[in-house]
Amino acid sequence: MRDLHVHTPFCRHATGSPAEYAAAARRAGLAGICFSDHAPSPDGYDPANRMAMAEFPRYKAAVMGLEHGLEPEVLFGIEADYHETCVGFLEQWLPEQDFDVVLGSVHYIGEWGFDDPAQISKWADADVAGVWREYFKRVAALARTRMFDVLTHPDLPKKFGHRPPEKVARELAAPALDALAAAGMAIEINTSGLRKPAREIYPSAFILAMAEERGIPVCFGSDAHEPGQVGADFERAGRLARDTGYKETACFRKRKMTMTSI
Ligand code: ZN
Ligand code: FE
Ligand code: FE
Ligand code: ZN
């Protein structure tokens, strides 16, 4: 298996050097690791949680410096947020870079970072189904940009345990999954939800089944923010994928998707 989603201290909220993440991947017996730290945003979007534009060359050099031709294979990626203030920059910037993969995320609805522990109080008077609706609207819009390869943590609004009834969640997720399928994107089975109050992999089994029905490929990510989290709970993630009917997993090099059996 490959872990396509790990962070580095360049984002200001992760610990451990890239070499330590790669060493952890080797110890975990992974075939590959992809660095996918939070993309810079010169337009001022959420600057506290990402590298500055001027740091990007150092991020790239730190990852590229790990290349050694041995396992685990090291891939160079980025986690880029879909947000109305980022789209213009990303549209121009992403194609100019030599990423292996671009992960697309939705962490904000308007001004609200709904998965940010520092902004959790806003959930107290939020309409949960309404938040999920706004979230999946943005996921569909993300897919329609054709700028991203993978949707990360597909049902992120459940992070702190806020879930609408399953029937409602299905109705809200369906058009977003249709848009992801139409865009030829993959979705990530992200184990970090197990470490959060949701206590569940992103996405939930029923959403993964909806993705499988639409032929949407999957890949695996730990969303590690420290080396000890690399490849965390991947056995469980692999089991979830197989139980859902998946036989293959997606990997990316220079933004081309290839499939290998799980
Ligand atoms: Zn992060
Ligand atoms: Fe994220
Ligand atoms: Fe992440
Ligand atoms: Zn993430």
Side-chain angles (χ1 to χ4, degrees), residues 5 7 38 79 81 104-107 115 152-153 156 188 190 192 223 225:
H5 190 163
H7 290 272
H38 299 283
E79 176 176 4
D81 286 32
S105 303
V106 176
H107 294 106
D115 83 316
T152 60
H153 33 63
L156 184 61
E188 176 191 48
N190 180 310
S192 74
D223 216 339
H225 283 71

Side-chain angles (χ1 to χ4, degrees), residues 59-222:
Y59 165 62
K60 182 176 174 178
V63 174
M64 296 303 192
L66 296 171
E67 295 287 7
H68 47 53
L70 299 169
E71 293 221 322
E73 180 183 16
V74 174
L75 298 171
F76 177 51
I78 201 89
E79 176 176 4
D81 286 32
Y82 174 83
H83 187 269
E84 49 272 29
T85 57
C86 301
V87 173
F89 164 69
L90 292 176
E91 206 169 22
Q92 163 258 312
W93 185 74
L94 288 175
E96 292 173 350
Q97 311 308 320
D98 44 5
F99 295 125
D100 288 304
V101 64
V102 174
L103 308 183
S105 303
V106 176
H107 294 106
Y108 270 75
I109 292 171
E111 300 279 290
W112 181 30
F114 61 85
D115 83 316
D116 179 356
Q119 302 183 49
I120 193 171
S121 64
K122 274 201 98 177
W123 275 104
D125 40 42
D127 159 24
V128 171
V131 175
W132 279 59
R133 174 171 297 109
E134 289 304 313
Y135 171 77
F136 278 115
K137 255 197 236 169
R138 283 160 176 77
V139 169
L142 178 164
R144 286 193 299 266
T145 66
R146 299 290 200 273
M147 295 185 333
F148 308 89
D149 303 309
V150 178
L151 174 71
T152 60
H153 33 63
D155 53 0
L156 184 61
K158 77 179 178 191
K159 178 172 176 174
F160 301 121
H162 304 91
R163 296 173 172 90
E166 184 179 313
K167 183 177 174 291
V168 175
R170 284 177 180 276
E171 285 164 13
L172 298 175
L177 292 168
D178 290 341
L180 292 162
M185 287 177 62
I187 63 167
E188 176 191 48
I189 298 181
N190 180 310
T191 57
S192 74
L194 292 166
R195 310 192 294 268
K196 302 289 156 51
R199 294 269 171 248
E200 194 181 56
I201 285 173
Y202 306 109
S204 299
F206 69 91
I207 294 179
L208 191 64
M210 292 171 72
E212 198 274 337
E213 283 164 19
R214 288 163 173 78
I216 298 174
V218 285
C219 57
F220 298 95
S222 66

